[in-house]
């Protein structure tokens, strides 16, 4: 069987189990002519166990208007804010601290994010998570 030709790859972040044809899903997928409701139903079914988290997805759209999608891990910033118990990060990250997370929480987040990070080992992944926390104004203790 011949391989399908890829027409586009679309990346969007949607809350798990709450995709709807409204923006951002409709505006991202509509121009490519795929059945938006088919994607919404499939996405909601796959992510219902992760309700309440933002789950990025990479949608591959083929020329015959079919699609496949891959679920990614939640963004590091979302996981860090959740671990620190914050609704939002610091307004001035360099001069103010919004909260703190422990080294154990950094390791836990790094283990969750490891499949999507470009790190060779867990120490490099932890360093990336620390950097993200620092840029958000969240201290690591």
């Amino acid at each position: 069987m011949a391989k399908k030709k890829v027409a586009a790859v679309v990346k969007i972040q949607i809350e798990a189990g709450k995709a709807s044809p409204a923006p951002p899903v409709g505006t991202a997928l509509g121009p490519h002519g795929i059945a938006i409701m088919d994607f919404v139903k499939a996405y909601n079914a796959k992510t219902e166990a992760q309700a309440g988290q933002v789950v990025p997805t990479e949608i591959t759209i083929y020329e015959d208007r079919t699609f496949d999608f891959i679920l990614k891990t939640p963004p590091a910033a979302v996981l860090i804010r959740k671990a620190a118990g914050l609704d939002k990060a610091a307004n001035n990250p360099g001069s103010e601290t919004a909260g703190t997370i422990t080294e154990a929480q950094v390791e836990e987040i790094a283990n969750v994010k490891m499949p999507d990070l470009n790190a060779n080992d867990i120490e490099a992944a932890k360093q990336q998570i620390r950097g993200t926390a620092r840029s958000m104004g969240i201290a690591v203790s």
Side-chain angles (χ1 to χ4, degrees), residues 70-103:
I70 301 168
L71 299 177
K72 302 287 187 174
T73 57
V78 172
L79 296 173
I80 291 168
R81 277 199 332 259
K82 186 177 175 185
L86 301 172
D87 289 333
K88 62 181 229 151
N91 289 329
N92 301 316
S95 58
E96 85 180 64
T97 302
T100 60
I101 59 175
T102 64
E103 197 60 43

Side-chain angles (χ1 to χ4, degrees), residues 101-112:
I101 59 175
T102 64
E103 197 60 43
Q105 289 172 315
V106 168
E107 186 166 355
E108 182 181 319
I109 293 168
N111 283 326
V112 169

Side-chain angles (χ1 to χ4, degrees), residues 10-99:
V10 179
K11 297 178 183 181
I12 52 177
Q13 294 184 11
I14 317 165
E15 194 168 331
K18 293 189 178 177
S20 69
V25 177
T27 54
L29 301 180
H32 300 288
I34 68 168
I36 296 171
M37 278 311 295
D38 290 346
F39 168 76
V40 168
K41 288 176 184 175
Y43 179 85
N44 287 340
K46 270 192 172 181
T47 60
E48 66 186 22
Q50 299 173 328
Q53 288 189 345
V54 174
V55 179
T57 186
E58 188 173 290
I59 307 157
T60 305
I61 302 169
Y62 302 103
E63 284 184 344
D64 63 355
R65 295 187 179 173
T66 58
F67 63 91
D68 291 329
F69 64 96
I70 301 168
L71 299 177
K72 302 287 187 174
T73 57
V78 172
L79 296 173
I80 291 168
R81 277 199 332 259
K82 186 177 175 185
L86 301 172
D87 289 333
K88 62 181 229 151
N91 289 329
N92 301 316
S95 58
E96 85 180 64
T97 302

